[in-house]
Amino acid sequence: MTAAPLGSQALLLALRRLRTDLAAHDRAVADAAGIKDSDLTVLEILNREGPQTPSVLARRTNTHLATMTGVLTRLEKDGWIERHPDAKDRRSIRIHATSIDRFNTLYAESMDRLAAVFETRPTEHARIFLSAVADISQALDSATDSDAAGPRKNGHDSVIAS
């Protein structure tokens, strides 16, 4: 019998499994909503962070601007977003989510299930988990920035690829 991985290896494997599970869940949510995975990602950013420019959305999703234009056209056609002139720069537009309640409904059942899991944990565990998630997110944001700049000097692939 093989011993279970210990330390950071176990954490990295758990993160990879979580990434796979979240991706599968998001695909199912997108399918149920009749949209593409990439569209759902844009909606997630808009609903979480508020209005953004198309350029920012393209950068945040690691998508070419021309591709983002197609994503935004689909979402606008289906009533998920609206384009508004930027109040500070009339040459620019900002993308606004229009269906926050509709978006939240897509995730309502799974959010209830996750909330039930979180409620079984002590508050200190929640603080540690939130801190770890923030650190992981920051590390991946940094990795994405450096990955976009070109290959790494050590030649290693991203740690959480699957």
Side-chain angles (χ1 to χ4, degrees):
M1 190 157 132
T2 305
L6 300 174
S8 64
Q9 273 307 108
L11 292 170
L12 291 171
L13 289 173
L15 283 174
R16 289 177 67 176
R17 178 176 178 190
L18 178 61
R19 190 210 65 77
T20 302
D21 291 346
L22 289 171
H25 181 264
D26 281 351
R27 276 191 300 278
V29 168
D31 286 347
I35 60 177
K36 295 184 176 193
D37 297 4
S38 55
D39 301 2
L40 186 66
T41 301
V42 168
L43 290 174
E44 172 62 32
I45 292 169
L46 292 171
N47 280 285
R48 188 179 60 238
E49 299 175 15
Q52 306 287 322
T53 65
S55 296
V56 168
L57 289 168
R59 204 167 30 255
R60 294 285 312 284
T61 60
N62 199 24
T63 305
H64 290 282
L65 191 53
T67 302
M68 181 55 62
T69 299
V71 169
L72 297 176
T73 298
R74 282 192 305 271
L75 290 172
E76 185 175 40
K77 180 179 156 248
D78 291 342
W80 288 99
I81 64 161
E82 291 178 348
R83 302 171 199 236
H84 295 285
D86 188 322
K88 295 178 184 171
D89 181 358
R90 292 226 178 265
R91 298 169 296 166
S92 182
I93 62 166
R94 293 183 79 70
I95 307 302
H96 295 253
T98 59
S99 302
I100 293 173
D101 291 338
R102 184 174 156 201
F103 177 83
N104 289 336
T105 299
L106 295 174
Y107 285 101
E109 187 179 322
S110 58
M111 291 297 122
D112 289 345
R113 286 194 310 267
L114 291 173
V117 170
F118 295 148
E119 288 169 3
T120 67
R121 308 287 186 206
T123 303
E124 184 57 28
H125 288 189
R127 282 191 200 100
I128 292 168
F129 181 73
L130 287 172
S131 176
V133 167
D135 290 347
I136 292 164
S137 182
Q138 184 177 2
L140 291 176
D141 284 346
S142 297
T144 301
D145 291 343
S146 66
D147 290 347
R152 294 183 182 156
K153 290 181 183 176
N154 66 9
H156 292 277
D157 293 330
S158 178
V159 173
I160 303 187
S162 58

